[in-house]
Amino acid sequence: MSIPAGHAEGARLPQPALERLASYMRCLIELEQAGAAYVSSQELENITGVSAAQLRKDLSYLGELGKRGIGYDVARLRERIAEVLDISHEQNVLLVGAGRLGSALLAYPGWRLYRFRIAAVFDRDPKIIGTTIRRLKVRSIDEVVEANEEFGARIGILAVPAWEAQNVADRLVAAGVRGLINFAPARLQAPPEVKVREVCFICELAILSYQISDPAPPAEGDAAA
Amino acid sequence: MSIPAGHAEGARLPQPALERLASYMRCLIELEQAGAAYVSSQELENITGVSAAQLRKDLSYLGELGKRGIGYDVARLRERIAEVLDISHEQNVLLVGAGRLGSALLAYPGWRLYRFRIAAVFDRDPKIIGTTIRRLKVRSIDEVVEANEEFGARIGILAVPAWEAQNVADRLVAAGVRGLINFAPARLQAPPEVKVREVCFICELAILSYQISDPAPPAEGDAAA
């Protein structure tokens, strides 16, 4: 569960460590934008919710970045984590779906902070193809394989309805994409070398709903318990 | 880590169990929409990625819903999980932020499947206040406390820029909201009785980027494959 010094040796981070690193990264970017030069493990605990002890352990593997009494160098730690996560260089990303969600994603101001760049947007709707959204011309999904010869994107984002998701995933994989972010409520089949991450914000609402529910007997309904 | 029969006794599900239940719920809703009446634990494993053994253990606490050789009754299991998660009754939700993300969230077709209902939309931009988005008139955020006397929403969604998030959170809490879904890249301060869930899709991209990175020194153009 500890974080090795890098992935150059072929060691792979386990999922929980990876998620913690992504969480530190987000926090450090915010701190850097707010002008903070140093941050203590206690402050990081307050923001990320990861215990200072776990945090110090994780970060100790990344090099000598903390100074007793001062804390961690925000910019250097952010750079170091970006290296480990392999997001320290600009990466092209393909977006499929130029509807409301796709447009919202295009408008998201955080891409460049993570050095992601939406290189191209695709849709299948002839009414949308050819229009321009935030300086990007919407292309036909039929062009995705050819287009990605130029962009070399490894990551594709699916912002399409569930019933189109598998077909879009297949096309993205054919275009050389190796990682899919799936916003559609559909479980995708993909070759083993392709990684898929599902984003389900409605699941977050369901979990939240439970967390704020009253533990006291809710009367009728659940009575069988 | 096991799932108790209900929350009537005041027992609270640990986070991992809760996330598994939310994942089963999503899967069951999809299966139900696709017309499936029964599902085996093996099929659920294939879709959710949770092992059939863990799954059977989790679901055994929810009652006699599985039949050997047939599987689980999709509709009944979905209802039972909805009860446990406390999403078996319609719940009003407040949305703050009527920009691109807010509009995308309003257009999301999945709300009713989880019995969530966006009751009202708020913004602070005078140019947007008073306009109508998907049959909802955008209200001023200044009206949120008064409006929620009518709606009684326990959950609020923040689709606002980071620098507005804390102020909006404070107003939602003042309006009686007990759970916040935060899309803004800002860590919110809230009273202990208020639960906050952060949605960070860019973190998903960072994690994915790591997962598809080459552990071995990459040759040119990945040709080694």
Side-chain angles (χ1 to χ4, degrees):
Chain A
M1 206 63 91
S2 61
I3 295 177
H7 57 274
E9 319 84 326
R12 303 303 282 169
L13 296 177
Q15 191 67 21
L18 201 45
E19 295 191 352
R20 289 198 303 275
L21 277 191
S23 152
Y24 305 155
M25 179 80 189
R26 184 189 201 200
C27 171
L28 291 164
I29 284 179
E30 286 173 25
L31 286 167
E32 209 174 355
Q33 292 214 293
Y38 289 91
V39 63
S40 69
S41 49
Q42 187 55 53
E43 287 169 304
L44 281 172
E45 172 179 319
N46 296 345
I47 306 178
T48 62
V50 177
S51 77
Q54 175 72 63
L55 220 139
R56 279 191 295 267
K57 197 175 158 196
D58 284 346
L59 301 185
S60 69
Y61 293 96
L62 303 182
E64 298 296 320
L65 298 163
K67 283 182 193 163
R68 187 168 290 276
I70 298 181
Y72 296 96
D73 181 317
V74 171
R76 281 188 59 210
L77 187 53
R78 194 255 309 138
E79 280 167 28
R80 189 70 191 92
I81 294 176
E83 277 171 29
V84 174
L85 292 178
D86 200 23
I87 53 173
S88 57
H89 54 281
E90 190 172 85
Q91 283 189 71
N92 281 340
V93 171
L94 305 183
L95 171 65
V96 185
R100 282 187 180 79
L101 177 60
S103 302
L105 290 171
L106 275 170
Y108 179 67
W111 298 109
R112 64 175 180 77
L113 298 174
Y114 286 76
R115 311 203 66 180
F116 292 117
R117 173 179 171 265
I118 297 193
V121 187
F122 302 87
D123 206 289
R124 51 164 286 194
D125 183 347
K127 289 194 297 292
I128 295 181
I129 294 165
T131 63
T132 299
I133 304 179
R134 298 189 74 90
R135 296 190 203 159
L136 280 177
K137 200 178 76 172
V138 179
R139 299 162 188 244
S140 164
I141 183 67
D142 294 336
E143 297 169 21
V144 69
V145 172
E146 194 184 356
N148 207 33
E149 286 174 14
E150 176 188 345
F151 299 120
R154 303 184 308 154
I155 292 179
I157 301 176
L158 286 82
V160 298
W163 58 88
E164 292 178 20
Q166 186 61 54
N167 180 264
V168 167
D170 294 344
R171 286 162 176 254
L172 284 168
V173 170
V177 162
R178 289 177 60 197
L180 300 170
I181 296 279
N182 181 23
F183 281 90
R187 183 67 48 154
L188 300 177
Q189 306 295 321
E193 71 276 15
V194 174
K195 301 292 176 201
V196 181
R197 285 189 75 85
E198 309 278 343
V199 181
C200 177
F201 74 89
I202 196 103
C203 296
E204 298 296 320
L205 264 89
I207 290 170
L208 189 65
S209 183
Y210 175 82
Q211 290 175 328
I212 63 173
S213 66
D214 289 312
E220 309 149 83
D222 230 12
Chain B
M1 208 61 92
S2 62
I3 294 177
H7 55 276
E9 320 84 325
R12 305 301 285 169
L13 296 177
Q15 190 66 23
L18 201 46
E19 295 191 352
R20 289 199 302 275
L21 277 191
S23 153
Y24 305 156
M25 178 80 189
R26 186 188 202 202
C27 171
L28 291 163
I29 285 180
E30 285 172 26
L31 286 167
E32 209 175 354
Q33 292 214 293
Y38 290 91
V39 63
S40 69
S41 48
Q42 187 56 54
E43 286 169 307
L44 281 172
E45 172 179 320
N46 295 346
I47 306 178
T48 63
V50 177
S51 78
Q54 175 71 63
L55 221 138
R56 280 192 294 268
K57 196 175 158 198
D58 284 345
L59 301 185
S60 68
Y61 293 96
L62 303 181
E64 297 297 319
L65 298 163
K67 283 182 193 161
R68 188 169 290 277
I70 298 181
Y72 296 96
D73 182 317
V74 170
R76 282 187 60 210
L77 186 54
R78 195 255 309 138
E79 280 166 27
R80 189 69 191 95
I81 294 178
E83 277 171 28
V84 173
L85 292 178
D86 200 23
I87 53 173
S88 56
H89 55 281
E90 189 172 87
Q91 284 188 72
N92 281 339
V93 171
L94 305 181
L95 171 66
V96 185
R100 281 188 180 78
L101 177 59
S103 303
L105 291 171
L106 274 170
Y108 179 67
W111 298 109
R112 63 175 182 76
L113 299 174
Y114 286 76
R115 310 204 66 183
F116 292 117
R117 173 179 169 265
I118 296 193
V121 188
F122 302 87
D123 205 290
R124 52 164 286 193
D125 184 347
K127 291 195 295 293
I128 296 181
I129 294 165
T131 63
T132 299
I133 304 179
R134 299 190 73 90
R135 296 191 203 159
L136 279 177
K137 198 178 77 172
V138 180
R139 299 162 189 244
S140 163
I141 183 68
D142 295 335
E143 297 168 21
V144 69
V145 172
E146 195 185 355
N148 207 34
E149 286 173 15
E150 177 189 345
F151 299 121
R154 302 184 308 153
I155 292 179
I157 302 176
L158 285 83
V160 299
W163 58 89
E164 291 177 19
Q166 186 61 54
N167 180 264
V168 166
D170 295 343
R171 286 160 176 257
L172 284 168
V173 170
V177 162
R178 287 175 62 197
L180 299 169
I181 296 280
N182 182 24
F183 281 91
R187 183 65 48 152
L188 301 178
Q189 305 295 318
E193 71 275 16
V194 174
K195 302 291 175 203
V196 182
R197 286 189 75 86
E198 310 277 343
V199 181
C200 178
F201 75 89
I202 196 104
C203 296
E204 298 296 319
L205 263 90
I207 290 170
L208 189 65
S209 183
Y210 175 82
Q211 290 175 330
I212 64 173
S213 66
D214 289 308
E220 299 157 77
D222 225 12

